[in-house]
């Protein structure tokens, strides 16, 4: 059943007719021509489709587009301002990818991680659950980024790429 | 032949397409023809492992609004003379669970998928035969192995030498079915422009597909145009033509539309191949001083009913160590499974896991340090082919790696190191991968005042080839990088070998050098000049034994209560010829080693013996290593140049990183716990086995 | 995926009223499991009533010192909630051990409890499964069952309509089971409170039903009673990967110590059964006894005596025994330091 929705995608208002069955990911890829969010599993098992939905990182494959009517969607591409986002630069500099397919999802996820840490959210490896401040250590990056699989296995390069930005943003010493 | 100038080659050039990739603007196959009114294909798959379709009722699917066509074996276009495994929708026979039996084409992907679920298929079926054992009576010796290797090799009297050996091991290892699982699922966009088939496709080299697709559709190479500018990983699964590419061509023909086929992750487990499971018996005999007297490596693996895939699992054993008596054998069982395919270092990956684990077990029996045992059995020449090495620096890899890792003074006793509740151990294994070159052609167009256009149907599946080839071309043409306009991954460009077998740089690079040589000392007229060059295997293939070598060291921690395994650090040292781009090369080694870690600890696809299907078939149930599984990775390579093999002095680096990595981890697991796990993967339950 | 109508209500009662007339309808929370199952053809609702933000997204204090958690609170927010981290560490740890950051951002508290099993025979519509297709048999008992139940399952053979060895995948539910939480449910007949002990059920002779909720009943909140000694609690999850994987075995435990004695203890297990498994045998054995490793191990073994594992999941028995022992030991060690 078709429904009209509007989304703000990477800063631009977009209207689309979607099937109620259409995922946010497929609305982006198959209807709006947005290529930054990728399909790697369609079941929330790989993270390639990660976008920021109203500022929070989510798997866009598991969000029905109709439920996102009126929402703000930010892909990796939309993180860029006048120039590239710092994560774009550090990922290139640390060669934090190979094939590049999971990469926009990794970067959108990393942007989410940085925001979550800034709010003091703990993770499964946080030693002191009630600490006021969380330091984005290597172990914290690894745990928090584990929802983004990289089959080329650039993990050991992704960690320093995120760490560099974490330092700049004051969530890592 | 002129050597490269070393200006760009060897320097840390960042991936040229990097800025586009990180933002998600580099287009992958499915992301082409965004503006076209494309239609979508969903597949219906067999639910039985062997049998015949007795009836297909597609009425309910056809009735769904938006459905354009339902293709079945009864009405799909007839294909030309393609190999059996590719005869999709051509007949009623079914040979594995998941074989496509119908394809639905619809205006949207949602409708296509819904309609596909409504196609009713009735089968006449028999019990599946999918269980591989070493004592099956129907095991057979294939005529030859993949890549043309002999099925068996025998030198000397192995059984007598083993019986006489003062120290020996006789151990059997198994590796499970594994799946390549690139994160980009296989996808094809296809359209017929008149009698020309245009395809945007995820593959490891458009030219790889041309013979099959032209034959399938009865067209000439001029009538087929395939491009694949960016490919989201492959690891072997995108090397060969698979059925979905033919279905795309058929669906486009039937509907006259631009069609998009994207496999689901679940379909990735049946339609694009898998790594065969192996059962490997290793017998090693040695003198008390560690000198090997006999090596026997017997392999049992599976293939499918519709294809013979004979993986060269024990071929690395033919060259790794000196020993007067030696034997390798390969036997296959033909089962009701989907066709296997190549997966990162097919042969070497499972084979070296077994050999390097057995060498570790022998070191324990001998009471000799496992690094030292390997050093004592270093062959001066290729022990089976009896030809010299072009370069072989395994010894240096082992000694350098031992130094970097801090191996010296290692207590050999297992199960005696504790850190809290963790049991801690270390392990080592060697690595090797063949160095080869394949026929390739390149073209350079020179126009005064413009960048050189360098064209070759090479492929960058994440390897960094686009960047490395640009570096090679820039040096050969003696210009800065921005004066090279490299065009790759297009079937209309000069024919090149596919990305596979770690042959990209050794095959494509020399072709570009050859073309550049044609240009040298020639004046470029105002209207421009086009030159071509080619390269291929030369005398070195017969006269020399050429391989990359490496050494892996791993620290493993095992939770003494839960059996959880962690790998806090690994060191890999490689001797792999001239490194064209240190940045992307490091990522290749890193990616290989990490995939080896994933193989050691996580990866297994389980065949259901009763139903014949791969029971775990998504990324929640087929585990690949996640961020949290990977610790500190120390990557290093030796300063090696192998100009006896090719003018670049390079070797392939895409696969050696995975070879042996799982053995280093398995050996460290034994050192940590005292338990020798001989069946991968080493999941927590193995601790309680 | 089957076509469906998408509906929104203005309040929980409206949502209940909408679904009451839709026998094949379903509530949509975060969708992280339901959309997944719909795409597989496992769930085939013809109407979705969106309740993701409809019930409360707040965590409120209860008069007794406990917490009322709105059913719409996302898992990530609940794990970050300071009162949860301070009062119920095991609850925060359980949430953080589940899924991924992205999924926790979207998944709701209520929806988390209603996850379906990840048994591969349940999620594959071409396979027999009594839970998905009642009467079709169980593929798992003779197939892939390495991560399926060893406690409280029904195994009458692969052909039986009763056989089911599914596990419940939620981590949160295990912690809530240990905490004796109450689930507030709104139905057509009004509101009721369901103890966690009664929310999830064992397969018995009807594996198709995961919970005791009737069609159309909506979880509105979870009440977690005060348990001052839950500040000494832990959730320990063993899984195949270091992160982003379902539990092989998990233990939620809290312990109240009186010197060297166990005054009170709560233990629940995940990955072991069709429902979060409260280890009452172990608790009874420990209460009033010494807080020693030997006593912990003996209690764990007593609990696991009821296990009926199959060939490939037998490891869960020693693994769970070890993890109960280890988790209690850690709590008692920390209490003494």
């Amino acid at each position: 059943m078709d429904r009209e929705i509007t989304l703000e995608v990477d800063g631009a208002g977009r209207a689309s007719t979607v099937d109620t069955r259409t995922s946010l990911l497929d609305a982006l890829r198959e209807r709006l021509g947005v290529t930054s969010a990728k399909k790697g599993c369609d079941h929330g098992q790989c993270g390639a489709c990660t976008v920021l939905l109203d500022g929070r990182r989510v798997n866009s494959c598991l969000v029905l587009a109709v439920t996102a009517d009126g929402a703000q969607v930010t892909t990796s591409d939309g993180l860029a301002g006048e120039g590239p986002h710092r994560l774009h630069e550090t990922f290139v500099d640390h060669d934090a990818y190979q094939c590049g397919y999971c990469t926009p999802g990794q970067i959108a996820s990393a942007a989410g991680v940085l925001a979550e840490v800034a709010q003091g959210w703990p993770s499964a490896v946080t030693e002191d659950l009630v600490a006021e401040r969380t330091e984005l250590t290597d172990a914290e990056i690894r745990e928090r980024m584990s929802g983004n699989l990289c089959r080329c296995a650039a993990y050991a390069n992704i960690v320093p790429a995120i760490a560099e930005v974490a330092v700049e943003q004051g969530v890592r010493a | 032949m002129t050597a490269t100038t070393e200006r760009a080659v060897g320097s840390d050039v960042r991936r040229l397409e990097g800025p586009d990739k990180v933002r998600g603007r580099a287009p992958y196959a499915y992301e082409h023809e965004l503006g076209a009114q494309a239609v979508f294909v969903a597949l219906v798959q067999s639910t039985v492992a062997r049998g015949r379709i007795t009836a297909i009722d597609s009425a309910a699917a056809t009735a769904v609004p938006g459905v354009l066509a339902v293709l079945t074996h009864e009405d799909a276009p007839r294909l030309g003379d393609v190999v059996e495994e590719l005869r999709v929708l051509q007949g009623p026979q079914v040979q594995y669970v998941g074989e496509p039996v119908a394809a639905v084409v619809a205006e949207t992907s949602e409708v296509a998928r819904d309609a596909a679920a409504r196609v009713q298929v009735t089968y006449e079926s028999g019990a599946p035969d999918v269980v591989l054992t070493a004592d099956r009576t129907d095991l057979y010796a294939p005529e030859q192995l993949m890549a043309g290797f002999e099925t068996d090799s025998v030198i000397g009297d192995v059984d007598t030498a083993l019986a006489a050996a003062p120290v020996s091991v006789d151990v059997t290892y198994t590796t499970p079915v594994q799946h390549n699982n690139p994160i980009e699922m296989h996808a094809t966009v296809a359209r017929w422009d008149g009698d020309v088939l245009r395809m945007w496709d995820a593959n490891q080299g458009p030219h790889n597909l041309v013979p099959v697709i032209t034959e399938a559709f009865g067209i000439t190479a001029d009538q087929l145009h395939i491009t694949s500018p960016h490919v989201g990983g492959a690891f072997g699964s995108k090397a060969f033509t698979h059925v979905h590419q033919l279905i795309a061509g058929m669906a486009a023909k039937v509907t006259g539309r631009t069609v998009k086929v994207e496999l689901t992750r679940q379909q990735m487990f049946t339609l694009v191949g898998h790594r065969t499971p192996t059962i490997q018996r290793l017998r090693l005999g040695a003198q008390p001083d560690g000198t090997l007297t006999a090596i026997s490596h017997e392999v049992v693996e599976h293939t499918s009913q519709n294809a013979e895939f004979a993986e060269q699992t024990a071929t690395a054993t033919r060259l790794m160590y000196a020993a007067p008596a030696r034997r390798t054998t390969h036997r296959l069982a033909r089962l009701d499974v989907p066709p296997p395919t190549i997966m990162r270092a097919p042969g070497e990956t499972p084979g070296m896991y077994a050999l390097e684990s057995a060498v570790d077990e022998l070191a324990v029996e001998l009471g000799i340090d496992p690094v030292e045992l390997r050093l004592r059995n270093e062959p001066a020449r290729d022990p089976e082919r009896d030809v010299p090495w072009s370069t072989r620096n395994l010894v240096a890899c082992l000694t350098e790696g031992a130094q970097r890792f801090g191996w010296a003074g290692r207590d050999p006793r297992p199960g005696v190191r504790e850190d809290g509740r963790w049991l801690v151990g270390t392990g080592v294994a060697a690595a090797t991968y063949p160095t080869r070159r394949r026929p390739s052609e390149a073209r350079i167009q020179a126009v005064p005042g413009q960048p050189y256009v360098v064209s070759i149907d090479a492929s960058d599946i994440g390897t960094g080839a686009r960047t490395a080839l640009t570096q090679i071309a820039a040096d050969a043409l003696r210009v800065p990088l921005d004066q090279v306009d490299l065009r790759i991954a297009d079937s209309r460009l000069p024919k090149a070998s596919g990305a596979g077998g770690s042959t990209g740089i050794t095959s494509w690079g020399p072709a570009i050098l050859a073309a550049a040589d044609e240009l040298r000392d020639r004046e470029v007229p105002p209207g421009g000049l086009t030159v071509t060059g080619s390269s291929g295997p030369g005398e070195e293939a017969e006269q020399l034994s050429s391989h990359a070598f490496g050494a892996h060291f791993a620290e493993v921690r095992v939770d003494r209560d839960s059996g959880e395994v962690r790998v806090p650090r690994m060191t890999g040292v490689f001797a792999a010829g001239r490194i064209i781009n240190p940045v992307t090369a490091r990522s290749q080694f890193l990616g290989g080693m990490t995939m080896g870690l994933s193989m050691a600890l996580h990866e297994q696809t389980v065949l259901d013996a009763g139903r014949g299907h791969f029971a775990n078939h998504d990324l929640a149930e087929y585990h690949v290593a996640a961020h949290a599984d990977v610790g500190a990775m120390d990557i290093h390579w030796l300063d090696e140049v192998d100009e006896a093999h090719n003018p670049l002095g390079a070797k392939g680096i895409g696969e050696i990183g995975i070879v042996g990595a799982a053995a280093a981890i398995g050996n460290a697991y034994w050192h940590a716990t005292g338990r020798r796990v001989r069946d991968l993967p080493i999941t927590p339950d193995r601790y309680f086995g | 995926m089957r076509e469906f109508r998408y509906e929104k209500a203005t309040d929980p009662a409206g949502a209940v009223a909408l679904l009451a007339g839709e026998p094949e309808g379903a509530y949509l929370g975060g969708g992280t499991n339901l959309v997944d199952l719909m795409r597989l053809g496992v769930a085939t609702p013809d109407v979705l009533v969106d309740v993701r933000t409809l019930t409360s997204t707040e965590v409120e204090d209860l008069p007794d010192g406990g917490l009322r958690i709105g059913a719409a609170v996302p898992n990530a927010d609940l794990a970050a909630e300071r009162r949860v981290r301070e009062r119920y560490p095991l609850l925060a740890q359980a949430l953080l051990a589940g899924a991924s950051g992205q999924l926790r951002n979207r998944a709701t508290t209520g929806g988390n409890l209603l996850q379906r099993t990840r048994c591969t025979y349940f999620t594959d519509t071409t396979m027999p499964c009594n839970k998905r297709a009642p009467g079709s048999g169980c593929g798992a008992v003779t197939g892939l069952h390495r991560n399926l139940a060893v406690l409280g399952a029904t195994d009458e053979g692969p052909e039986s309509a009763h056989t089911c060895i599914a596990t419940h995948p939620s981590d949160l539910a295990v912690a809530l089971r240990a905490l004796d939480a109450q689930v507030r449910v709104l139905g057509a007949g009004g509101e009721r409170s369901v103890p966690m002990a009664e929310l999830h059920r064992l397969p018995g002779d009807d594996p198709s039903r995961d919970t005791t909720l009737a069609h159309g009943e909506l979880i509105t909140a979870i009440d977690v009673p005060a348990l001052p000694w839950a500040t000494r609690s832990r959730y320990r999850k063993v899984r195949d990967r270091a992160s982003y994987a379902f539990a092989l075995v998990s233990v939620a435990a809290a312990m109240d110590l009186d010197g060297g004695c166990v005054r009170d203890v709560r233990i629940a297990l995940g990955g072991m059964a069709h429902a979060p498994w409260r280890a009452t045998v172990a608790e009874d054995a420990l209460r009033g006894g010494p807080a020693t490793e030997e006593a912990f191990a003996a209690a764990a073994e007593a609990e696991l005596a009821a296990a009926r594992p199959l060939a490939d999941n037998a490891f869960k028995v020693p693994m769970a025994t070890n993890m109960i022992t280890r988790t209690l030991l850690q709590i008692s060690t920390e209490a003494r330091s």
Side-chain angles (χ1 to χ4, degrees):
Chain A
M1 289 168 203
D2 286 350
R3 294 277 286 249
E4 303 292 325
I5 63 166
T6 58
L7 298 169
E8 186 189 320
V9 182
D10 294 339
R14 306 288 300 272
S16 181
T17 303
V18 298
D19 192 309
T20 52
R21 294 170 291 187
T22 306
S23 66
L24 175 58
L25 175 61
D26 285 340
L28 294 171
R29 300 182 90 208
E30 294 175 358
R31 285 168 170 80
L32 297 173
V34 175
T35 60
S36 190
K38 310 289 192 192
K39 187 177 288 186
C41 72
D42 224 10
H43 290 275
Q45 300 163 355
C46 79
C49 67
T50 303
V51 300
L52 302 177
L53 181 62
D54 290 330
R56 296 164 68 105
R57 57 178 175 146
V58 300
N59 301 103
S60 61
C61 70
L62 293 180
V63 175
L64 292 171
V66 285
T67 70
D69 188 15
Q72 194 180 59
V73 179
T74 307
T75 70
S76 174
D77 197 25
L79 291 173
E82 290 291 303
H85 188 276
R86 282 291 294 137
L87 285 165
H88 294 143
E89 295 174 331
T90 61
F91 266 64
V92 171
D93 204 43
H94 289 272
D95 208 42
Y97 58 117
Q98 285 202 270
C99 78
Y101 192 81
C102 75
T103 312
Q106 300 272 358
I107 288 174
S109 191
V113 166
L114 290 166
E116 291 163 10
V117 172
Q119 292 175 65
W121 287 14
S123 84
V125 299
T126 306
E127 297 266 333
D128 181 1
L129 264 186
V130 295
E132 291 292 333
R133 179 192 149 86
T134 304
E135 174 88 3
L136 194 59
T137 61
D138 286 0
E140 288 278 1
I141 294 172
R142 291 184 188 119
E143 163 57 27
R144 291 166 191 262
M145 289 296 295
S146 281
N148 292 82
L149 301 180
C150 173
R151 188 57 161 156
C152 299
Y155 300 125
N157 289 349
I158 293 171
V159 171
I162 296 173
E164 192 175 327
V165 182
V167 171
E168 293 164 8
Q169 297 195 356
V171 292
R172 177 180 169 119
Chain B
M1 178 55 64
T2 316
T4 55
T5 63
E6 302 266 354
R7 285 182 308 187
V9 167
S11 63
D12 285 340
V13 180
R14 298 304 188 272
R15 261 170 236 272
L16 300 175
E17 73 282 15
D20 285 336
K21 279 188 172 174
V22 295
R23 292 180 65 157
R25 292 183 162 200
Y28 296 79
Y30 193 76
E31 298 161 5
H32 287 89
E33 296 302 281
L34 295 171
Q37 291 295 305
V39 296
F40 299 82
V41 174
L43 304 180
V44 183
Q45 295 175 276
S46 148
T47 58
V48 303
R50 58 156 57 166
R52 287 176 68 82
I53 300 166
T54 54
I56 292 194
D57 181 356
S58 52
T62 309
V64 177
V67 170
L68 300 170
V70 180
L71 279 61
T72 72
H73 73 89
E74 292 168 352
D75 54 15
R78 297 299 98 182
L79 297 172
D81 186 19
V82 294
V83 294
E84 187 180 0
E85 63 179 293
L86 293 177
R87 285 177 211 151
V88 63
L89 305 182
Q90 302 298 293
Q93 200 181 355
V94 168
Q95 292 173 305
Y96 59 89
V97 175
E99 186 169 343
V101 294
V104 176
V105 194
E107 296 284 357
T108 69
S109 61
E110 293 85 11
V111 169
R113 198 153 168 179
D114 181 9
R118 295 167 194 264
V119 176
Q120 298 293 318
V121 187
T122 313
Y123 304 92
E124 182 182 276
S125 65
D129 177 11
V130 298
V131 180
L132 182 69
T133 61
D135 59 1
R136 288 180 66 106
T137 55
D138 60 351
L139 296 177
Y140 73 97
E143 273 193 29
Q144 63 170 20
L145 306 175
M146 206 171 43
F149 286 102
E150 299 279 339
T151 302
D152 296 347
S153 68
V154 182
I155 293 175
D157 184 345
V158 176
D159 292 327
T160 301
L162 282 169
V167 183
S168 63
V169 294
D170 179 352
V171 284
T172 298
Y173 302 89
T174 69
T175 61
V177 171
Q178 296 159 358
H179 277 85
N180 307 54
N181 274 321
I183 300 293
E184 181 203 22
M185 295 169 308
H186 290 224
T188 305
V189 179
R191 179 176 66 229
W192 287 89
D193 292 326
D195 61 358
V196 173
L197 177 57
R198 180 73 176 94
M199 296 178 119
W200 296 262
D201 180 69
N203 62 64
Q204 294 176 230
H207 265 101
N208 274 4
L209 276 54
V210 170
V212 173
I213 293 179
T214 51
E215 171 61 34
F217 292 106
I219 55 178
T220 65
D222 289 342
Q223 292 172 285
L224 178 63
H225 187 193
I226 308 171
T227 53
S228 319
H230 299 287
V231 180
F235 317 108
S237 69
K238 292 171 182 165
F240 304 122
T241 308
H242 297 291
V243 292
H244 68 280
Q245 289 149 328
L246 301 181
I247 290 171
M250 287 193 266
K253 185 152 238 171
V254 167
T255 60
R257 303 281 295 270
T258 299
V259 305
K260 294 195 168 191
V261 180
E262 179 176 55
L263 297 185
T264 64
R265 178 56 60 185
Q266 290 80 4
Q267 289 166 348
M268 292 285 291
F269 284 78
T270 47
L271 298 183
V272 295
H274 59 270
R275 194 197 289 282
T276 178
T278 69
I279 302 168
Q280 305 181 56
R281 184 179 183 190
L282 264 295
R283 282 177 280 180
L284 304 176
Q287 299 291 350
D289 69 356
T291 307
L292 283 165
T293 54
I295 301 173
S296 172
H297 189 171
E298 297 157 283
V299 180
V300 174
E301 51 202 19
H302 82 202
T303 188
S304 62
Q305 297 291 355
N306 61 8
E308 181 171 283
F309 183 86
E311 187 153 321
Q312 68 276 37
T313 303
T315 54
T317 300
R318 295 174 185 171
L319 63 98
M320 277 305 289
Y321 301 111
R326 43 205 309 137
R327 170 176 64 210
T328 62
T329 66
H330 297 80
R331 298 293 177 268
L332 294 181
R334 200 177 276 284
L335 304 182
D336 300 325
V337 295
T341 195
I342 57 176
M343 177 169 165
R344 204 167 196 167
E348 283 80 8
T349 295
M352 285 289 281
Y353 160 69
L355 175 66
E356 291 299 297
S357 300
V359 168
D360 198 71
E361 297 207 46
L362 180 66
V364 172
E365 287 295 317
L366 288 162
I368 295 175
D369 178 83
V371 172
E372 177 61 27
L373 177 61
R374 289 173 172 89
L375 300 183
R376 289 184 192 177
N377 288 286
E378 176 70 5
R381 292 161 66 85
D382 185 311
E384 300 213 0
R385 291 177 56 208
D386 195 26
V387 293
W389 308 106
S390 59
T391 48
R392 172 168 167 134
N393 284 305
L394 174 59
V395 167
C397 289
L398 285 163
T399 53
E400 174 75 18
Q403 199 266 327
R404 293 178 72 89
F405 187 78
W407 184 264
R410 172 184 184 260
D411 181 347
R413 294 173 301 154
V416 297
R417 285 152 301 277
E418 293 181 14
D419 179 4
R421 304 296 289 182
W422 294 104
L423 302 169
V424 183
T426 52
V428 61
T432 189
Y433 195 79
T435 304
R436 293 176 286 229
R437 52 202 296 210
R438 291 177 177 154
S440 290
E441 299 162 20
R443 180 175 69 221
I444 301 177
Q445 293 162 279
V447 176
Q450 291 180 23
Y452 290 99
V453 177
V454 179
S455 302
I456 180 167
D457 186 25
S459 175
D460 189 336
I461 54 176
T463 56
R466 179 181 278 104
T467 310
L469 292 179
T470 302
Q471 291 171 265
I472 290 167
D475 283 1
L477 295 163
R478 301 176 192 278
V479 295
L481 288 173
D482 64 4
Q483 290 304 301
V484 174
D485 176 1
L486 183 77
R487 313 262 174 98
I488 62 169
D490 183 331
S491 65
R492 293 197 163 167
L493 297 177
K495 181 177 179 177
S497 57
S502 296
T503 60
I505 288 298
T506 53
S507 305
W508 308 328
I512 291 173
L513 293 186
D517 257 10
E518 290 297 314
L519 207 54
R520 188 120 41 226
D521 303 326
R522 285 175 69 175
E523 184 118 347
V524 178
L529 180 64
T530 298
V531 296
T532 60
S534 65
S535 166
E539 291 175 337
E540 80 282 347
E542 298 301 320
Q543 295 172 355
L544 298 171
S545 183
S546 298
H547 305 264
F549 291 90
H552 297 280
F553 293 80
E555 178 182 320
V556 163
R557 293 179 166 236
V558 182
D559 185 299
R560 65 185 309 146
D561 300 309
S562 68
E564 293 161 289
V565 187
R566 299 287 183 266
V567 183
R569 65 187 181 110
M570 289 185 82
T571 289
V573 176
F574 303 95
R578 185 192 303 277
I579 298 302
I580 307 299
N581 182 330
V583 174
T584 54
R586 183 176 175 280
S587 290
Q588 284 279 62
F589 293 130
L590 172 68
M593 286 170 65
T594 308
M595 195 182 270
L597 180 157
S598 187
M599 167 189 178
L601 301 188
H602 304 304
E603 296 187 36
Q604 62 177 330
T605 319
V606 178
L607 273 161
D608 180 314
R611 296 167 196 83
H613 73 301
F614 289 127
N616 55 327
H617 48 244
D618 61 29
L619 292 177
E621 301 299 328
Y622 181 91
H623 289 148
V624 303
H627 272 273
D629 295 301
V630 182
M633 304 294 281
D634 173 37
I635 315 285
H636 185 69
W637 54 83
L638 305 179
D639 196 10
E640 183 185 270
V641 176
D642 191 340
E643 285 176 350
H645 185 271
N646 64 75
L648 277 168
K651 294 178 176 178
I653 57 172
E655 289 162 278
I656 189 167
I658 190 175
V659 179
I665 290 168
N667 296 339
Y669 183 93
W670 171 82
H671 190 231
T673 63
R675 274 168 192 276
R676 185 66 72 168
V677 174
R678 299 192 180 92
D679 307 290
L680 291 185
I682 311 173
T683 43
D685 52 300
R686 303 287 192 208
Y687 185 72
F688 302 95
Chain C
M1 196 185 290
R2 178 184 179 183
E3 279 201 289
F4 61 86
R5 213 168 73 236
Y6 172 74
E7 302 281 0
K8 286 186 102 158
T10 52
D11 58 23
V16 170
L18 266 175
L19 204 57
E22 303 287 352
E24 292 185 50
Y27 293 123
L28 174 67
T32 53
N33 190 204
L34 180 59
V35 173
D36 159 46
L37 293 174
M38 287 167 67
R39 193 163 286 134
L40 291 166
V42 173
T44 55
D46 61 355
V47 179
L48 284 187
V49 178
D50 191 340
V51 297
R52 189 174 66 85
T53 56
L54 197 63
T55 56
S56 171
T57 55
E58 301 295 319
V59 179
E60 300 166 59
D61 280 307
L62 291 172
D64 72 340
L67 292 176
R68 171 165 297 173
I69 303 162
V73 176
N75 291 177
D77 300 57
L78 186 57
E81 165 59 47
R82 187 149 289 278
R83 289 166 291 177
V84 170
R85 288 148 73 180
E86 286 168 355
R87 296 179 204 175
Y88 310 103
L90 80 173
L91 189 51
Q93 289 170 353
L95 286 158
L96 294 170
S100 67
Q102 292 96 311
L103 292 164
R104 292 193 294 269
N105 269 338
R106 189 74 182 168
T108 63
T109 303
N112 185 305
L113 302 183
L114 302 180
Q115 288 180 76
R116 312 297 309 272
T117 184
R118 262 58 179 194
C119 174
T120 62
Y121 296 84
F122 174 73
T123 56
D124 184 340
T125 56
T126 67
M127 290 294 140
C129 171
N130 286 321
K131 181 177 286 300
R132 175 177 34 75
S136 61
C138 172
V141 285
T142 56
L144 176 60
H145 57 251
R146 176 174 163 271
N147 197 16
L148 297 178
V150 299
L151 288 166
T154 303
D155 183 1
E156 298 174 2
E159 308 298 332
S160 165
H162 301 159
T163 296
C164 180
I165 57 171
T167 48
H168 195 267
S170 168
D171 295 296
L172 170 64
V174 180
L176 291 175
R177 182 74 184 86
L179 290 168
D180 278 337
Q182 296 275 328
V183 181
R184 297 172 68 85
V185 174
L186 186 65
E191 194 165 33
R192 67 185 181 112
S193 190
V194 182
M196 272 300 289
E198 293 168 20
L199 179 68
H200 297 98
R201 54 186 295 285
L202 295 177
D205 60 4
D206 184 5
S208 70
R209 290 172 58 223
D210 294 355
T211 72
T212 56
L213 298 186
H215 174 76
E217 285 195 305
L218 176 67
I219 296 177
T220 55
I222 317 288
D223 287 352
V224 186
L227 191 68
W229 45 276
T231 51
R232 287 210 187 89
S233 66
R234 278 187 167 264
Y235 186 77
R236 177 67 162 88
K237 179 178 180 180
V238 181
R239 40 187 162 175
D240 281 325
R241 280 195 291 223
S243 185
Y244 202 21
F246 293 100
L248 296 169
V249 168
S250 69
V251 178
M255 192 158 49
D256 186 18
L257 291 167
D258 178 9
C261 274
V262 178
R263 188 182 293 130
D264 204 353
V265 63
R266 303 280 182 86
I267 307 168
L269 304 176
M272 301 291 280
H274 192 263
W277 185 268
R278 184 70 175 265
T280 51
V281 173
E283 289 179 7
D284 290 346
L286 287 166
R287 217 170 274 120
T292 62
E293 182 169 359
E294 295 69 31
F296 300 152
E301 280 168 25
E303 184 68 45
L304 273 298
R308 296 288 175 271
L310 296 169
D312 297 333
N313 61 5
F315 73 91
K316 290 193 174 194
V317 176
M319 182 185 277
T321 306
N322 285 0
M323 297 324 293
I324 293 170
T325 308
R326 161 91 161 269
T327 306
L328 295 176
L329 196 58
Q330 279 183 310
I331 295 171
S332 65
T333 305
E334 281 165 17
R336 287 183 188 129
S337 67

